[in-house]
Each structure stands twice: as C-alpha cells, then as structure tokens.
Amino acid sequence: WYRFAGDRKHYDSWWGFPSLPNVNELEPGYTDFIAGEHGVLSHWAQDGATSWRLDVADELPDEFIRILRKRLKQNDPEGVLLGEVWDDCSNKYGPEGRRGYVSGDELDSAMNYPFTEAAISFLTARTDAYALDHALQTLREHYPRPFFEACLNLISSHDIIRAATALSGAPDRNAVSRKVQATYRPSEQDQKKGYLRLILAAALQMSLPGVPCVYYGDEAGMTGMSDPFNRGTYPWGSENEAVFAGYSALMRARKESAALKRGLCRMGALSPEVFAVLRWLPESGEQALLLINRGEREQAVTLHPDDIPQGADGEAPITLDQPMTDVLTQEMLLPVDGQARTTLPPLTARLYLTKQD
C-alpha cells in the first residue's frame, strides 16, 4: 500500500510529514479495505455514518473517488460525498484530464470557498456588488444545478481566518507570521464593524441556494486568525448577544422557509453597495427577498424582479405583490406596483419573508 525509497525508514508521506504516510489508493487490497463489501465505509454505515467529507479531495485519484461514491450509495442512496476543493470544481485538472467532481459520478457537493472569498471581499469593500454577482453567477453557470444547490456555503472554517476577524479588516493570513497572528486584535471600532458585516454574511448564507454551514462559534461572535487561532473553545455564557440574536433569526428563517430552502432564485447587484437575492415557490406563492447594504451610508432601494433577471430562473414569472416581514427587525414591506421600496441603513441586511398559512 505504500511507496518506500530504499528501506522501510524512508517512505512517501503527505507533504513530507512522516506521521502521514501516503497510500496507493488504487492498489486493490487498499481499495477493498476502504470500499469493499466489508470495508471501512460499510463498517461505519452499520453505525449510521453514511456520509463522508474527503479532506484534500484534489489529491485523490478520480477513479478512487468514483469507487468511494459507488459503495457509499450502495450503503445509503441518500448518503452524501462532500469534497474539500478550494477552487471552482468544474475546471480543475488531474492525471485523467478535467476532474470529474461535478459530473454526477464523483462528488455530491464541495466546500464552497469561492463563495467565501466573494462574500468577504464584497463585505470588506475589496470588491463591489457587481463582482459578487459575477462570482456567484459564474459558479451557477459552471456547476450542474443539483451540484450548485448542494454546495456547502461557509464563511469560516478550521483552515481560514474566522469571519468575524476577516470582516473586521484583518491582514491576509499568508502575509503575516504566526507570531503576529497570535497577538492580532482589531480595534474596537473595526471589530464592531466586523460584527455588523458578519450578520450580512450570514444573511447571504441563509438566502442563497446551497447548504449553509456555520463554523461553531461564529454564531457567538468568536474571533481568531488562521489555524490554530481559529479553534478556540466556545464562549459559554459570554456570547455576543447581538450576533447570536441575528444568527438565531436568520437560521430560523432558513429552517422554516420553503422558499429559502428550495425556491427558484434570482440575484444581482442593484448598485456597487447593494446586493439582492429573490427566492420564490410558484406552487405556493411563498417569497423571500434579501437586500444587503454593505456601505456606510444609507441607501434608498427600489427593486422590481426584472431588475435582476440573471440566472436559470431569470425568465420564470414572479410578481412582488404580497406583504413581507423582515426576520431581523420585524419591519413590514408592502410592494407597490410590483416593486419593493425601502431605505437600508448602513451595514444592514433585510431578509423579508411572506407570511404563509
């Protein structure tokens, strides 16, 4: 199963770490050990673990991923194979040529780091709402719809700076030493702004197609630079109350709103500072509208669905004609002549939902 060089003290290992010897994934004995009828996947399936995340999926052969998927689906047709892939999954290349991540016989989903980068860049004003729209529309165009709607949308993870710190204007983790990261603290004013932006990021997570993934403690306002400073213990009893309340309202909306979970979608920029997401279910009439003002000035917003015609559902009919309520403030919105009109304070998200019986 292993590759030795001369003697058993010298062997191929992952990135040179001797405690992590590389295996020959396609050696029949190893493949059977992992994915055979009585292999590792089947062993854990008997205890209820039928879905798996592949760490560093880029470094696994396509054929091996296909073998894993076949056994996983045999164990549980509803099981999910999720890959850690940092880039656009549709245009990566390996020994077989174009990687088959999105082809339907390998991964069901991937960690959506392109979303992470696009969202944080927009909210910290490194890019604008038009760039955010371009990034999200590009993924939507590149991915088959089932894959796009299954992507794991995250804004923090164990491998990157926590969102509350990144959104406060933290330096690039690759540009500073671990010593600097260990002691880095944003100013009180910057951290306050970071927390406001964090709610906007969470609103995007809960409103867009995909699977929202909240890294533990983000909902409590945890901070920290990259590994290991992003792995602190949960602050029981010391949660940031405003962040916690915002996350609770947004996650409750995602859980309870069928439009947010599986509705059709339009999205787009209304100005450099304002981004909109519109979700709806034609069969029930349920609607959800997200408006984000990432700017530090008040923004007057007028939105007609035809203002954001991009996307696979851009030609599907939708009329804004129902009263809606913001889940964060309980503010009412009553569209007039098919248009939603409101004023967004600085650094504000409004997630409006129609009331369903």
Side-chain angles (χ1 to χ4, degrees), residues 152-342:
L152 199 72
N153 292 343
L154 67 162
I155 56 171
S156 291
S157 81
H158 61 291
D159 280 326
I160 58 176
I161 298 173
R162 275 198 178 267
T165 298
L167 293 169
S168 69
D172 186 322
R173 65 192 178 112
N174 297 314
V176 294
S177 67
R178 289 201 176 196
K179 183 177 180 180
V180 170
Q181 293 192 48
T183 59
Y184 175 78
R185 300 291 185 277
S187 69
E188 183 178 349
Q189 181 179 358
D190 286 343
Q191 188 61 79
K192 182 178 179 181
K193 187 183 298 183
Y195 283 140
L196 293 173
R197 290 168 170 168
L198 183 61
I199 298 302
L200 309 191
L204 271 175
Q205 276 186 297
M206 303 304 154
S207 302
L208 288 168
V211 180
C213 178
V214 177
Y215 185 47
Y216 83 97
D218 274 5
E219 77 281 12
M222 283 182 66
T223 60
M225 294 291 286
S226 61
D227 186 10
F229 312 111
N230 53 14
R231 298 180 186 242
T233 54
Y234 186 87
W236 297 108
S238 300
E239 296 90 344
N240 182 291
E241 294 182 3
V243 171
F244 195 86
Y247 262 87
S248 297
L250 292 167
M251 290 193 290
R252 188 180 305 113
R254 175 72 181 213
K255 179 181 179 181
E256 296 177 353
S257 169
L260 289 178
K261 287 189 285 190
R262 61 177 185 273
L264 302 181
C265 178
R266 296 189 189 188
M267 55 185 166
L270 303 183
S271 74
E273 310 285 346
V274 178
F275 190 76
V277 179
L278 179 60
R279 308 290 303 275
W280 75 99
L281 284 173
E283 57 270 26
S284 68
E286 184 178 345
Q287 298 175 357
L289 172 62
L290 172 69
L291 297 173
I292 285 180
N293 173 20
R294 72 97 194 263
E296 298 187 35
R297 292 186 298 175
E298 184 177 88
Q299 297 280 337
V301 175
T302 300
L303 171 71
H304 188 281
D306 289 346
D307 296 333
I308 46 174
Q310 306 96 319
D313 304 318
E315 296 184 1
I318 167 69
T319 301
L320 294 177
D321 57 5
Q322 302 178 64
M324 310 177 84
T325 303
D326 173 36
V327 303
L328 291 167
T329 65
Q330 303 307 305
E331 172 188 294
M332 294 289 296
L333 176 69
L334 181 61
V336 177
D337 297 329
Q339 294 182 323
R341 293 187 177 91
T342 190

Side-chain angles (χ1 to χ4, degrees), residues 9-289:
K9 294 182 180 180
H10 300 87
Y11 48 86
D12 183 39
S13 55
W14 186 76
W15 285 40
F17 294 106
S19 60
L20 298 173
N22 274 333
V23 297
N24 298 311
E25 291 91 353
L26 297 177
E27 198 282 325
Y30 181 78
T31 300
D32 185 65
F33 172 72
I34 297 295
E37 183 178 356
H38 303 290
V40 170
L41 296 184
S42 296
H43 170 84
W44 287 106
Q46 292 175 1
D47 285 339
T50 58
S51 295
W52 293 80
R53 170 188 174 272
L54 300 180
D55 195 55
V56 200
D58 286 1
E59 299 184 20
L60 294 173
D62 287 89
E63 183 180 347
F64 185 67
I65 297 176
R66 289 192 290 268
I67 291 170
L68 295 181
R69 179 189 176 86
K70 183 177 180 180
R71 174 57 62 186
L72 182 150
K73 298 298 182 181
Q74 288 172 341
N75 291 336
D76 180 3
E78 296 299 316
V80 173
L81 191 61
L82 165 70
E84 180 199 19
V85 183
W86 285 67
D87 308 300
D88 185 328
C89 290
S90 69
N91 56 21
K92 296 184 72 68
Y93 283 81
E96 291 188 13
R98 186 185 294 271
R99 303 300 301 258
Y101 299 138
V102 304
S103 299
D105 62 350
E106 291 195 22
L107 301 177
D108 293 303
S109 173
M111 300 178 74
N112 198 355
Y113 279 112
F115 160 77
T116 312
E117 173 60 27
I120 290 178
S121 292
F122 165 62
L123 294 173
T124 54
R126 297 202 305 268
T127 58
D128 61 17
Y130 297 102
L132 174 63
D133 183 52
H134 178 75
L136 297 178
Q137 299 289 0
T138 298
L139 286 179
R140 181 195 57 75
E141 292 168 358
H142 287 185
Y143 290 174
R145 186 162 190 155
F147 193 92
F148 180 72
E149 293 182 346
C151 279
L152 199 72
N153 292 343
L154 67 162
I155 56 171
S156 291
S157 81
H158 61 291
D159 280 326
I160 58 176
I161 298 173
R162 275 198 178 267
T165 298
L167 293 169
S168 69
D172 186 322
R173 65 192 178 112
N174 297 314
V176 294
S177 67
R178 289 201 176 196
K179 183 177 180 180
V180 170
Q181 293 192 48
T183 59
Y184 175 78
R185 300 291 185 277
S187 69
E188 183 178 349
Q189 181 179 358
D190 286 343
Q191 188 61 79
K192 182 178 179 181
K193 187 183 298 183
Y195 283 140
L196 293 173
R197 290 168 170 168
L198 183 61
I199 298 302
L200 309 191
L204 271 175
Q205 276 186 297
M206 303 304 154
S207 302
L208 288 168
V211 180
C213 178
V214 177
Y215 185 47
Y216 83 97
D218 274 5
E219 77 281 12
M222 283 182 66
T223 60
M225 294 291 286
S226 61
D227 186 10
F229 312 111
N230 53 14
R231 298 180 186 242
T233 54
Y234 186 87
W236 297 108
S238 300
E239 296 90 344
N240 182 291
E241 294 182 3
V243 171
F244 195 86
Y247 262 87
S248 297
L250 292 167
M251 290 193 290
R252 188 180 305 113
R254 175 72 181 213
K255 179 181 179 181
E256 296 177 353
S257 169
L260 289 178
K261 287 189 285 190
R262 61 177 185 273
L264 302 181
C265 178
R266 296 189 189 188
M267 55 185 166
L270 303 183
S271 74
E273 310 285 346
V274 178
F275 190 76
V277 179
L278 179 60
R279 308 290 303 275
W280 75 99
L281 284 173
E283 57 270 26
S284 68
E286 184 178 345
Q287 298 175 357
L289 172 62

